[in-house]
Amino acid sequence: MPEDLINSFMTGPDEAGRFGKFGGRFVSETLMPLILDLEAEYEKAKTDETFWAEMDDLWAHYVGRPSPMYFADRLTAYLGGAKIYMKRDELNHTGAHKINNVLGQIILARRMGKTRIIAETGAGQHGVATATVCAKFGLKCIVYMGAHDVERQAPNVFRMRLLGAEVVPVTSGRGTLKDAMNDALRDWVTNVHDTFYCIGTVAGPHPYPAMVRDFQSIIGKEAKAQMLDREGRLPDTLIAAIGGGSNAMGLFYPFLDDADVGIIGVEAGGKGVNDKMEHCASLNGGRPGVLHGNRTYLLQDDDGQILEGHSISAGLDYPGIGPEHAWLNDIGRAQYVSVTDVEALEAFQLCCAQEGIIPALEPSHALAHVTKIAPDLPADHIICMNMCGRGDKDIFTVARALGFDMEGAP
Ligand SMILES: *Cc1c(COP(=O)(O)O)cnc(C)c1O
C-alpha cells in the first residue's frame, strides 16, 4: 500500500469486500462467478480513461451535472445560526441522485456485452432511473417490484412502462422490496449470459457497495470543489438522508479523510425508534445480520426475520443500510441520528416556504436535522446538506398527511 494511503478511511473494502465486520459476499456458489466477473470488469473500468470520459460526457449533457451548491440564505437567517448550503442533486434528470449510479452500471453492462438489464425497486425511483437509462441505450429492462409496492406506487409503475420497461410484480414472501431483491438475484443466476443486475444503493454483495459509492462520489467531489470555491474552505458538517445510504455515501466519501469535517447520516425515525419497528432506522434500531449478499445492520425480529419498517418516505424504507455506513458508525467516523415523520414533514414545509424549493421527503429528513442543530451553532459554521431529490413525487403523500383534500381543492 502506498504510504500516503495508510491511515486513510478511504481504502476500503478489503479484497473480500469487507468494511471491518461488515459487507462481504454472502451469495450462492452459482452466483459467485458472475460476481467475480463483474468485479474484474469494474476494476478494469475504474482506471480506464475512456470509461470516465463517457461518464463525464453523459453526466454533463444527459444528467445536467455539476449540480449547483446553493447557499440557503433565508433558511439560514430564519434558523439564526450556522450557514446552510444545499447540494442540489434534485436538479438531476429524473429528479434525484439515483441516475448518477445507474449510468455507471449501464455503461459497464454495455462494455460487458450485456443486453438485458434487471433491477429491483421499492418506491420505484431506482426502477425509473434504470428504465430511463435503458431507454436511452435501447436495452431491455426488467424491474422487479413487490406486488404491494406496485399498488402503492402506481405513478412510478406507469413511468417505467412508458419508458419501455417490463415491471414484474413479486408476490413471493410479503411482496415487498426484500422479496423483489431475491427474485432479481434468482433471475440473474438463470440468465447469466446476457443479463446485468443493476443495484440501486450501496448494498448487495461486493463489489456493489464500493462500486455504487464510487459512482455516487461525484456528489462529494463536486461539493468539495464548490465549497472551496465559495468559502475558501471545507464545510464543518455534512448531512444526508439514509435509505440504503447511496446519496449519503456519495457526499461523505471524498471527505472521509478530512478530519475537521463532521459527518451525520439521518435515518428515517418513522413514528419513533421503538420496539414496534415503526421506523426504518437500521443503525439506531436494528441489529447486524445478513441480507442481500452482505453483512450489515438490519431491521429484524428476535428470530432474524427481516422486518419491513415504516417511514412516511417510501425511498427510505430499505430494511438495511450499506455496510460502509455500518463500519463508519462502529469506528465513530460518522454519526447516525434519526428524524421522525412529523419532523420531516415540518422541514418539508419550511423548505417550501423559506427557499422556494419543494424537497423530496427523503432529504426533508436531512433538513429536519439541520433545523435541530443549526440554531445552536456559530454563524461561521458551515453545514452542507444533500438535497438528493425533488418533492413532486411526494405531494400526494404530504397532502394526505396534512389533511389537504386534493379532490375538493378550490
Ligand atoms: C432512493 C432515494 C433515497 C434513498 O436511497 P439512498 O441509497 O439512501 O440514497 C433518498 N432520497 C431520494 C430522493 C431517493 O430517491
Side-chain angles (χ1 to χ4, degrees):
M1 197 187 284
E3 207 161 314
D4 60 345
L5 288 182
I6 296 171
N7 295 328
S8 167
F9 292 112
M10 296 172 71
T11 55
D14 64 17
E15 280 100 89
R18 281 179 306 234
F19 300 92
K21 292 182 297 213
F22 305 102
R25 35 185 164 218
F26 295 82
V27 296
S28 64
E29 265 171 56
T30 44
L31 260 180
M32 208 54 184
L34 285 67
I35 303 262
L36 292 174
D37 195 29
L38 170 66
E39 183 183 16
E41 287 289 338
Y42 180 55
E43 284 303 317
K44 258 192 279 170
K46 239 164 74 173
T47 53
D48 182 344
E49 278 172 30
T50 61
F51 177 82
W52 292 104
E54 191 175 1
M55 288 288 282
D56 286 342
D57 182 64
L58 288 161
W59 269 336
H61 304 294
Y62 192 64
V63 176
R65 304 208 70 92
S67 67
M69 176 65 76
Y70 169 65
F71 173 48
D73 54 340
R74 286 195 72 223
L75 188 65
T76 296
Y78 177 87
L79 294 171
K83 275 183 109 162
I84 301 158
Y85 279 88
M86 297 174 174
K87 178 62 173 155
R88 302 286 307 275
D89 250 55
E90 98 279 14
L91 295 176
N92 293 335
H93 180 42
T94 68
H97 62 288
K98 293 223 165 61
I99 196 160
N100 299 331
N101 159 53
V102 169
L103 263 187
Q105 290 193 49
I106 301 285
I107 292 175
L108 196 61
R110 276 161 51 86
R111 290 164 68 101
M112 294 172 77
K114 308 289 185 188
T115 53
R116 185 175 173 273
I117 308 297
I118 58 169
E120 85 291 325
T121 198
Q125 297 303 112
H126 174 58
V128 169
T130 306
T132 298
V133 180
C134 285
K136 193 243 168 304
F137 284 108
L139 296 166
K140 196 169 161 58
C141 178
I142 292 101
V143 179
Y144 288 92
M145 190 167 185
H148 188 49
D149 290 328
V150 170
E151 270 171 45
R152 286 191 290 191
Q153 309 291 341
N156 275 340
V157 173
F158 185 55
R159 279 188 191 101
M160 287 184 264
R161 290 190 172 143
L162 281 174
L163 292 160
E166 182 191 339
V167 179
V168 182
V170 174
T171 50
S172 59
R174 292 181 208 174
T176 58
L177 178 60
K178 179 189 75 130
D179 309 299
M181 296 188 301
N182 286 337
D183 275 25
L185 280 167
R186 257 195 298 273
D187 177 315
W188 199 21
V189 183
T190 322
N191 300 292
V192 199
H193 56 288
D194 66 347
T195 297
F196 185 99
Y197 180 21
C198 183
I199 294 186
T201 190
V202 283
H206 178 62
Y208 282 100
M211 181 171 69
V212 176
R213 171 201 70 197
D214 292 346
F215 292 146
Q216 291 293 2
S217 290
I218 186 68
I219 301 171
K221 278 181 210 152
E222 286 176 6
K224 214 167 177 173
Q226 288 167 321
M227 289 298 336
L228 288 172
D229 186 42
R230 299 287 292 277
E231 292 280 350
R233 67 179 183 90
L234 299 181
D236 299 290
T237 307
L238 301 175
I239 301 187
I242 309 254
S246 71
N247 85 84
M249 215 52 242
L251 176 65
F252 298 167
Y253 184 69
F255 292 93
L256 287 182
D257 286 341
D258 298 302
D260 294 337
V261 178
I263 296 178
I264 304 175
V266 184
E267 297 192 301
K271 297 179 184 171
V273 179
N274 54 25
D275 288 346
K276 286 189 289 180
M277 290 291 168
E278 288 174 316
H279 62 83
C280 292
S282 311
L283 278 177
N284 284 290
R287 286 183 290 121
V290 172
L291 176 72
H292 211 187
N294 74 92
R295 185 178 165 76
T296 189
Y297 281 84
L298 305 170
L299 298 181
Q300 50 188 321
D301 66 15
D302 292 340
D303 301 327
Q305 278 291 325
I306 301 303
L307 299 173
E308 227 192 285
H310 159 85
S311 169
I312 189 169
S313 160
L316 297 183
D317 65 7
Y318 182 75
I321 180 167
E324 194 165 6
H325 287 293
W327 172 69
L328 290 170
N329 175 66
D330 273 23
I331 62 171
R333 175 61 187 99
Q335 183 196 352
Y336 294 86
V337 299
S338 70
V339 148
T340 64
D341 290 352
V342 170
E343 291 167 333
L345 264 173
E346 272 169 23
F348 175 99
Q349 294 171 84
L350 187 65
C351 188
C352 294
Q354 292 291 326
E355 294 295 345
I357 295 171
I358 301 179
L361 281 167
E362 294 89 355
S364 297
H365 284 72
L367 201 57
H369 192 68
V370 170
T371 67
K372 288 185 192 180
I373 65 170
D376 295 328
L377 291 167
D380 63 353
H381 187 106
I382 301 171
I383 296 177
C384 171
M385 65 86 55
N386 198 12
M387 183 57 75
C388 57
R390 57 177 172 245
D392 315 35
K393 68 183 177 62
D394 292 322
I395 55 166
F396 295 95
T397 307
V398 172
R400 208 176 309 125
L402 298 180
F404 184 83
D405 181 3
M406 287 277 207
E407 303 288 319

